[in-house]
Amino acid sequence: MKRRWFLIISIAVALAFNSCYSYIYAQTEITVEDLYQKGTFRQNYVIGIVSMNDGEHYTNLNMTRNAIVKYSYQTGEKIETIFATKDFDYPELDWILDYEFSADESKLLISFQYEPIYRNSFKAEYFIYNISDSSLVRLSENGKQQLASFSPDGTKIAFVRENNIYVKDITVENAPEVQLTKDGEWNKIINGAPDWVYEEEFSYNKAYDWSSDSKKIAFLKTDETNVKMFSFIQYGELYPVNYDYKYPKAGEENSKVSLYIVNVENGNTITADMGELEDIYIPRLMFTNDANLLAAVKMNRLQNKYELYLINAETGKSEVLLTLEDEKYMEINDDLTFLADNSHFIYSHEASGFRHIYLYDMNGTEVKQLTSGDWEVTSFYGVDETNGLIYFQAAKTSPMNREIYSVDLQGNNMKLLTEKAGTNEATFSKNFKYFINDWSDANTPPVTTLYDNTGKLIRELESNKSLVKKVTEDYEFSKKEFFTFKTSDGTELNGWMIKPAKMKGKNNPVMMYVYGGPGSQTVTNSWDRDMGWWQLLAQKGYIIVSVDNRGTGARGKEFRQVTYEQLGKYEVLDQIEAAKYLGSLKYVDKNRIGIFGWSYGGYMTGLCLTLGAEWFKLGIAVAPVTNWRYYDSIYTERYNGLPQDNASGYDDNSPINHVKMMKGKFLLIHGTADDNVHFQNSVDLVEKLIAADVDFETMYYPNCDHGIYGGNTRNHLYRKMTNFVLENL
C-alpha cells in the first residue's frame, strides 16, 4: 500500500516537475528580425526635454517628433501643444530635429530636413515660430544652415552656411542676412564650426558664442588648407564619385586655428591674443557673464597642458587664468561654469587622481575642492546659485553605478538624491527645483521619473511597462550577473555574464563582448541596447560575457592611464586573462571562446585573435582600427603620443603587424564610407592576411559610415554575425 502511494506520488511529482521545467525553458524564440525589423524590444523615451524659464514647466517632443508640448513639473498635466507641424502647409516640415526658445520664450527656432555632415554636425532648414501670433517663417531662402542660435536678447539669429557666419535681425521684416566672414571655403577655411577631428574627438560642434549683450560673436577660424585629404568612393551611380575631406592622421599636419571677435553691428573684427598658436588646439570658447570678457581653452598637441585664457573682447588682449598639467594627458569636458557674481568659476579635473569639482576665484586661485574621494564625478549638471548648491552625477557607490548628488558651495552637506542602485541620468529645471531622471539597471529597461531637488519622487513619466513584460514574461530574458576576478598580476577587473536558461553541463561556449578604449565602460549597471542580441545568443546556448580591462573609466586616473603610449597592450592582456578565467569555470568549454567588438572593440578583437590566438576560437571585428598610424591625430596622440616619438607603441600593438599568429575563425566587417575608422584599415588588413595565407571571412557594407545602419542594413549585419557564431563556435 505504502509502495503504491509512493509510486503515485513520485509519478505526480515527476509530471509536475517536467511541466514546470518545460514552462521555465520554453522561452519564446528571439529572432534577428525582432531586433532590427519589428522593433520588438524598442523602448519608449521622453525626448527633447527643455525647462522653461519659470522652472515650473517643461517642454518635450512627442514620440513622432511632430509637436512640441508643454507640461507642468508639479502636476504632470499637459498644459498645451505649443507647436505642431500639422498646422502648417510647408513640405519641409517632416519631423522636428531640434528646437530652441528665445530668451523671453516668445519665439521658437525649429530645425527640419536633417542633412548630416559628420557624426554630430548637420545642415537643416530652420524656421522661426512666433508663439503669440502663431506665425511661422523660414530663417533663410538661400540654402540650408548650420548651428543657428538666438542672440541673448532674442532679436537676432546667427548661423553658419558654407563655412561662413551670418546674422539676421528677426525684428525687421525681410531683413537681409549679414555675412560676417567671407573667406570660408570647403576643405580650406571654416568659420564658426570645427573641422572633422575637432568635432569627433573634442565633442565640439558649435565653434562660436554670443556675448551677453548680443553685440559680439566670438568664433574659431580653422585653416585646414595644409591638412592632407582623405577620399572614399560613394557608389550607386554609373560613375561613382569621390568624397574628399580633410583628415589629419597621427603625426600628420593639423589644421591651424585662431580666435576672433566680431562686432555684429559694424562688422569690425579683432584677433584674440592667445600667444603662440603653432600646433595647438582651442577646444572650447565661451563668453563669461561679462559681455566684454571671453574665455577660451588652449591645449598643446600632446594634450597634457590645459590653459584657460580670459580675453578682453574690446582689445583682444588676454591673460592665463588657470593652468593645469598632467604627466600623460588630460581630457576636455564642458563643466566650466562662470558664476553670476563674476568673481568665481567652477571646473572639474583629475589633479587628485579622480575627477572632482573645484571652485576658483577669478584670479585662478583654488577656493575649494567641492568633491573628493576615491570615486569619480561623471557629469556636472550645474549650479543653483540662489541656494548655493551644485548638482552632479557620480560613480560613488561603484564604478558600475551612477547616482545623482548635490553639495553646497563650501563642499559640505553632500546629499544622495537617487536611491535606486543602477544608472541615473538627470535633466534639471532651470531653477533646479526639479529634475527628470532616467533610471535603469542591468536587467530593467529605462524608467523616466520626476523628482524634486531633495530627492523626493513626484511621479513616473515613462515606465516601459510593455517592454518590461516582454523581457520578464513573454521572452523570459536571462539575468545579467556581475562578477569580479583578479588577473595574474593582482588587478581586479569587473565583468558581467548572461547564462543560457538551460546550461549544457561542462560544455558551454562563451561569446565575449569588448570595447575597452580609454575611459569607456561596457560593464555598467544599466540597460544594454544590445540586450536583445545577447539574449538571442543565450537562447542558442552561449554564455555572454563582457569585461572592462585596464584603461577603462570610472576607476580613477591611474587605472585609466596605465595604457598610455601602449594602446592595446594591457587591454589585450586583460582580455586574455578574462578568457583564461572563464576557461577555468567548470561550466565553460575553454576551447570554445569567441569575442566580438566594434570600432575600438573591433581593434581589440583583432589583437585577441592574433596575440591571444591560443585562447580565442572565433572573433568578429566591426569597423576596426588595424593600424594606429591610420587613425586621427587628436585621439591617437592623446593616448599614444606622436608616432615620431613612439614608433613601437604604434606598431607593436597594431593587429595588422601580427596576422601570422591568427588561428581562429575571423569575420571582418566594415562600411565602405566610414569617415571615422577608414575602410583602409580593413582593406590593408585583408591584404596582409592573404599574404600570410590566413583564412578569414569578410563583409563590407556599401556607402555605410561607422555606424553601419540604414534600411535593412542592421538586420542583415546582425543576421550575418549571428550565423557566423552559430556555425563556428
Side-chain angles (χ1 to χ4, degrees), residues 12 95 98 125-126 149 164 166 179 182-183 236 324 326 351 382 447 599 612 690:
W95 53 275
D98 201 2
E125 292 287 359
Y126 286 85
S149 68
N164 282 310
Y166 295 77
Q179 186 172 345
K182 298 183 179 179
D183 58 347
L324 300 169
D326 190 278
V447 175
S599 193
I690 293 169

Side-chain angles (χ1 to χ4, degrees), residues 117-119 196 200-201 230-235 243 245 247 249 598-600 602 621-626 630-632 668-683 700-709:
I117 302 174
Y118 301 128
R119 187 194 294 260
W196 183 94
E200 178 68 27
E201 306 303 357
F230 192 86
S231 302
F232 55 79
I233 296 174
Q234 293 181 306
Y235 298 92
Y243 180 84
Y245 71 113
Y247 184 104
K249 299 203 174 194
W598 197 308
S599 193
Y600 200 101
V622 182
V625 172
T626 65
Y630 292 170
Y631 200 53
D632 75 57
L668 176 63
I669 298 171
H670 220 121
T672 65
D674 192 332
D675 65 321
N676 183 1
V677 180
H678 299 142
F679 187 42
Q680 171 192 21
N681 283 270
S682 287
V683 172
Y700 64 86
Y701 285 90
N703 302 326
C704 283
D705 63 14
H706 197 56
I708 310 182
Y709 59 89

Side-chain angles (χ1 to χ4, degrees), residues 84-156:
T85 58
K86 66 179 179 60
D87 296 333
F88 299 92
D89 188 23
Y90 280 95
E92 295 89 347
L93 307 189
D94 49 358
W95 53 275
I96 299 170
L97 174 62
D98 201 2
Y99 67 98
E100 174 192 350
F101 282 98
S102 60
D104 64 0
E105 296 181 340
S106 66
K107 297 179 180 67
L108 278 167
L109 182 61
I110 312 172
S111 54
F112 302 89
Q113 293 288 312
Y114 171 72
E115 182 182 328
I117 302 174
Y118 301 128
R119 187 194 294 260
N120 298 308
S121 56
F122 61 89
K123 299 176 184 178
E125 292 287 359
Y126 286 85
F127 285 77
I128 306 161
Y129 178 63
N130 190 316
I131 296 173
S132 62
D133 63 12
S134 299
S135 62
L136 184 71
V137 297
R138 194 191 305 269
L139 172 60
S140 173
E141 299 285 350
N142 299 316
K144 289 184 176 180
Q145 309 92 51
Q146 286 178 255
L147 304 167
S149 68
F150 283 112
S151 60
D153 64 7
T155 64
K156 303 176 185 68

Side-chain angles (χ1 to χ4, degrees), residues 11 40 99 275 360 388 531 537 588 613:
I11 292 171
T40 302
Y99 67 98
Y360 292 90
M531 191 64 159
L537 293 175
V588 168

Side-chain angles (χ1 to χ4, degrees), residues 298-300 303-307 323-326 330:
K298 174 179 171 180
M299 295 185 79
N300 61 335
Q303 298 165 72
N304 56 17
K305 185 176 183 180
Y306 170 106
E307 294 176 288
T323 301
L324 300 169
E325 296 186 71
D326 190 278
M330 302 183 68

Side-chain angles (χ1 to χ4, degrees), residues 30 48 62 84 143 147 222 359 386 477 514 641 663 707 715 726:
I30 301 170
N62 70 346
L147 304 167
T222 301
L359 177 67
T386 302
F477 278 18
V514 63
K663 296 178 182 178
N715 188 65
L726 297 180

